Amino acid sequence: MKANRTLNVILGIYVALIFVFVFAPIIFSMIFSFNSQRFPTIPLGEFSTEWYAKILADPDVWEAALNSLIVSTSTAVIATFLGFCTAYSDYRYNFRFKGPYLALILLPPTIPLIIMALAMLAWFSKIGMSGQLYSIVIAHSVLTAPFAMAVIRLRLNQMDPDLEAAAWNLGGSEWATMRHVIIPFCKPAIFSGLFLTAAVSFDEFAVSWFVSGLNKTLPVIILEIVQGNIDPQVNAIGTFVFLISMTLVVLAQVFFASRQLKSTRT
Amino acid sequence: MSAPLVIFDKVQKTFGDFVAVKELDFEIREGEFLAIMGPSGCGKTTTLRMLAGLEAPSVGEIRLNGEIMNDVAPHERDTPLVWQSLALFPFLTARENVEFGLKMRGVDKAERKERALKWLGKMGILEFADRDISTLSGGQKQRVALARSLVMEPQILLLDEPLSALDAHLVIRMQAVLTDLQRELGITFVYVTHSQSEAFAMADRVVIMGNGEIAQIGSPKDIYRAPANQFVAEFVGRNNILSGTVTKLTDDTARITTPSGEFTVPTNDVLLIEGHTASFVISADLVHISIDKPVGDNAAKCKLISEEFVGSMVTLFLEDAQGHEFKVQMQERELSKFDLNSGDEIWLSWDTSSAHVLNEG
């Protein structure tokens, strides 16, 4: 018992350190976003919302925010739809080359983003689809669909294999069963998938930067500001992006956890 | 007698190289309680799933009310199934579960609700109508599953080991609920199970399946007292099976010499030939025990190996000098008169009329 406790303390410290490493820069960025001084130094200057006022007055930032909103929302819907379809085809059917089929679908997140981005750019310019907002949506959908699929697949695996047949047995056609049984059962996972893919898309930088052309998203505009000079505006935008992403991820987790809870009860 | 409700006409089912059902040729009568029983992997569940349209026969025809059902999709049939896993919809309340089939059939909302509540009431779980499925007990879920199927008011209800997940005392209760329901509704129940006690307690007729084939069809009593072959005799359990050579034939009895001794059995119209092998069974509950050698044709000296108590009944496991196993079932209060210990030698005996000759083997 005693050894166990020491181990727990050590593990606790370890986890705390990880959190410090991950969140310390973000927290500092947040603190400096309210700092009146131009350079991030300690001691801090006065509390100020100057940088927030500045970005709110900047039409470029507004446009980038709108672009990000459009891209992440569209991506979430498309990627979750694709993810659901692949997860369901995996659950329902057995066919030749199913292994390669699944591997192919799960591949995009394993490719280094920069390579993915370059390949996307080359391909889109070849077929005349580069530099548009929808180019980012397409690229992000490919990139994030596997996340949605993974979440929905987990949920489908928890489903009683007789449930679908039970609906047929009670007079439900295949489509009616999809609508009244499969989708309601997967609903928490579908929401989880929507928020997760939106979060990944919202703060993805490399692919957006390559294929976006003149349509900048928030992460792209952050880089542009940083490239120019040191500007605390970045901290303000960064804080904003971080809070949105975090909210999306937390929402995804909430839906994920709620279904875990429910399935342990049943 | 009216035409049978369901006919299995030389039905076969294969999955790749695996033969699940070799050849099924039987009828299900209208209004009967039919149990299909067999060890796991015998094809009983496949048979039921074919009737529900969840599997298509590879060869042969299944007819329902004279109509060939082979190509009718499951959702176009009226053959509700009560699942072993119950397969209740976890995201719906008890009432919504019961309404599901009616909703699929396009019954309007008010009628759906009325009929669902009626059936929940009939099953004695009206108070749980608006509860989440996950908050119900095993027995309550069982009743929801039954109501969900019966609300469709079908001609035939299929049940796939519906009681296997319940506690023993609940099984007995649900058996009574099921037999009462079947009698009251007058519809056909087809009940798949591996449990002999469930099948024998409820069914009018029992189909015994083994290795994808029908081994015997008959009333529970017929199957228990007069198993058709060795497979049934072994499956039905608590039977003593003896094999040997026919040494003497008279009009209605035969003398069979086995390694355990020589016994007289009634021939019961089974074709026996002198010099050929034959097997016969004696139900464990028809065997008597005694300390001294009994008079009569049928006796064997055995050593007591072990005892098994189930309530007031006890089963003795014994072995003769050749190592052949015998089983004796009797009341505990009868046994207590003997004061036996394992290793003791006693005599087993039975009336000639208790023995039953098997058709094969």
Side-chain angles (χ1 to χ4, degrees):
Chain A
M1 278 316 277
K2 196 147 188 203
N4 226 335
R5 242 179 104 181
T6 333
L7 189 69
N8 276 343
V9 171
I10 294 172
L11 285 175
I13 293 171
Y14 177 70
V15 171
L17 277 176
I18 289 180
F19 273 97
V20 169
F21 270 106
V22 171
F23 286 103
I26 297 168
I27 288 164
F28 273 96
S29 167
M30 282 182 175
I31 293 170
F32 287 124
S33 74
F34 291 105
N35 185 9
S36 62
Q37 284 176 354
R38 189 168 179 80
F39 294 99
T41 50
I42 290 179
L44 295 168
E46 289 156 34
F47 177 82
S48 149
T49 53
E50 182 192 345
W51 313 115
Y52 285 92
K54 218 168 170 180
I55 58 164
L56 284 178
D58 186 343
D60 282 356
V61 173
W62 276 104
E63 207 196 316
L66 185 65
N67 284 343
S68 278
L69 184 71
I70 293 169
V71 168
S72 62
T73 317
S74 320
T75 298
V77 173
I78 296 171
T80 305
F81 175 75
L82 290 176
F84 177 81
C85 293
T86 27
Y88 183 72
S89 63
D90 168 48
Y91 165 80
R92 173 77 192 277
Y93 302 102
N94 265 315
F95 44 88
R96 272 180 79 188
F97 306 120
K98 188 168 166 180
Y101 164 79
L102 289 177
L104 200 65
I105 287 158
L106 293 169
L107 199 61
T110 66
I111 299 171
L113 274 177
I114 197 81
I115 296 183
M116 182 86 171
L118 271 169
M120 285 280 184
L121 175 63
W123 170 245
F124 283 149
S125 0
K126 193 138 206 153
I127 57 172
M129 286 176 73
S130 74
Q132 305 295 324
L133 214 50
Y134 66 72
S135 323
I136 317 179
V137 173
I138 296 171
H140 278 184
S141 300
V142 172
L143 199 66
T144 58
F147 295 109
M149 181 208 164
V151 181
I152 294 166
R153 197 162 161 231
L154 267 177
R155 178 64 177 159
L156 279 171
N157 284 340
Q158 292 173 348
M159 193 165 86
D160 175 350
D162 291 333
L163 218 54
E164 203 177 19
W168 301 336
N169 180 252
L170 291 165
S173 65
E174 297 247 357
W175 280 113
T177 301
M178 173 59 77
R179 197 174 131 216
H180 294 289
V181 176
I182 309 289
I183 291 179
F185 187 87
C186 292
K187 213 156 136 196
I190 290 172
F191 277 110
S192 188
L194 281 171
F195 290 121
L196 196 65
T197 49
V200 174
S201 164
F202 193 79
D203 53 16
E204 196 285 328
F205 164 72
V207 174
S208 310
W209 191 68
F210 272 86
V211 302
S212 62
L214 298 172
N215 302 287
K216 293 163 196 150
T217 60
L218 281 177
V220 175
I221 212 157
I222 292 177
L223 182 83
E224 290 202 347
I225 296 170
V226 176
Q227 272 175 332
N229 46 27
I230 295 172
D231 189 334
Q233 275 187 62
V234 169
N235 292 331
I237 306 179
T239 303
F240 176 69
V241 171
F242 172 75
L243 287 179
I244 292 209
S245 296
M246 256 339 246
T247 310
L248 290 171
V249 171
V250 166
L251 281 174
Q253 269 301 316
V254 165
F255 279 99
F256 194 79
S258 78
R259 78 185 153 81
Q260 294 288 19
L261 206 72
K262 199 154 186 182
S263 60
T264 47
R265 265 199 296 142
T266 41
Chain B
M1 208 188 112
S2 57
L5 182 66
V6 179
I7 298 173
F8 277 76
D9 191 357
K10 299 193 175 57
V11 171
Q12 273 179 42
K13 177 69 189 174
T14 50
F15 297 99
D17 291 338
F18 175 70
V19 182
V21 168
K22 236 178 257 168
E23 176 159 311
L24 277 184
D25 226 0
F26 75 105
E27 297 171 355
I28 301 172
R29 298 171 194 154
E30 195 159 353
E32 77 172 329
F33 197 132
L34 182 86
I36 303 178
M37 183 170 103
S40 53
C42 71
K44 57 188 192 298
T45 295
T46 307
T47 305
L48 199 71
R49 290 177 67 91
M50 284 196 284
L51 195 47
L54 300 166
E55 310 285 356
S58 311
V59 180
E61 273 174 11
I62 298 174
R63 290 195 286 275
L64 179 65
N65 286 321
E67 235 178 284
I68 299 174
M69 298 303 282
N70 289 31
D71 297 322
V72 179
H75 70 271
E76 285 160 346
R77 300 185 185 210
D78 194 16
T79 51
L81 175 62
V82 180
W83 303 76
Q84 182 170 17
S85 66
L86 300 184
L88 294 170
F89 304 116
F91 43 85
L92 299 178
T93 63
R95 176 166 65 82
E96 288 166 336
N97 262 282
V98 178
E99 282 184 28
F100 189 89
L102 300 174
K103 193 172 170 184
M104 293 298 114
R105 292 261 190 266
V107 175
D108 72 68
K109 216 170 169 178
E111 193 191 332
R112 252 168 25 209
K113 186 173 172 182
E114 192 196 313
R115 283 171 69 178
L117 291 178
K118 184 185 110 188
W119 275 98
L120 285 166
K122 237 184 166 122
M123 300 306 301
I125 44 168
L126 192 59
E127 60 207 285
F128 304 111
D130 293 314
R131 290 266 290 270
D132 257 2
I133 286 300
S134 55
T135 63
L136 300 184
S137 73
Q140 291 160 349
K141 284 184 194 168
Q142 187 71 63
R143 287 159 193 263
V144 175
L146 271 169
R148 185 178 72 170
S149 293
L150 288 169
V151 77
M152 309 294 285
E153 286 166 12
Q155 250 187 314
I156 182 166
L157 180 71
L158 313 180
L159 303 107
D160 184 11
E161 309 218 13
L163 307 184
S164 57
L166 296 183
D167 294 338
H169 69 282
L170 272 177
V171 170
I172 307 287
R173 280 246 306 269
M174 285 310 291
Q175 282 180 3
V177 170
L178 285 172
T179 39
D180 287 353
L181 260 177
Q182 196 264 340
R183 226 162 281 152
E184 185 197 328
L185 301 170
I187 64 172
T188 306
F189 276 31
V190 181
Y191 190 100
V192 160
T193 183
H194 66 268
S195 154
Q196 183 186 326
S197 63
E198 284 177 26
F200 282 14
M202 294 186 284
D204 301 318
R205 284 199 308 154
V206 179
V207 176
I208 308 265
M209 285 185 74
N211 294 319
E213 285 176 308
I214 293 177
Q216 187 173 5
I217 303 182
S219 71
K221 201 177 156 193
D222 285 349
I223 287 173
Y224 189 66
R225 290 294 182 218
N229 49 48
Q230 184 130 6
F231 174 81
V232 177
E234 277 169 11
F235 182 68
V236 167
R238 302 294 182 251
N239 271 318
N240 294 293
I241 306 173
L242 287 158
S243 302
T245 315
V246 181
T247 43
K248 205 173 107 194
L249 268 174
T250 64
D251 275 354
D252 49 4
T253 61
R255 199 75 181 148
I256 297 177
T257 309
T258 75
S260 307
E262 216 180 275
F263 305 99
T264 306
V265 299
T267 50
N268 290 340
D269 300 329
V270 175
L271 183 69
L272 294 175
I273 302 163
E274 236 169 282
H276 283 221
T277 58
S279 300
F280 62 98
V281 298
I282 312 104
S283 300
D285 60 328
L286 299 178
V287 180
H288 314 291
I289 63 173
S290 57
I291 303 292
D292 304 314
K293 187 175 186 337
V295 285
D297 278 341
N298 308 300
K301 194 178 186 188
C302 288
K303 196 165 75 179
L304 182 62
I305 304 295
S306 63
E307 298 172 10
E308 180 189 271
F309 283 88
V310 181
S312 63
M313 287 298 277
V314 67
T315 305
L316 304 179
F317 295 89
L318 308 105
E319 237 178 52
D320 67 8
Q322 279 70 40
H324 188 87
E325 190 190 60
F326 283 86
K327 283 165 272 185
V328 180
Q329 210 167 40
M330 60 198 305
Q331 294 283 331
E332 199 276 332
R333 65 188 153 79
E334 293 290 321
L335 178 69
S336 59
K337 293 176 193 159
F338 287 90
D339 186 31
L340 293 176
N341 293 308
S342 27
D344 288 357
E345 297 213 318
I346 52 170
W347 283 90
L348 308 187
S349 60
W350 55 90
D351 301 335
T352 297
S353 61
S354 300
H356 172 80
V357 178
L358 298 175
N359 249 324
E360 334 156 355

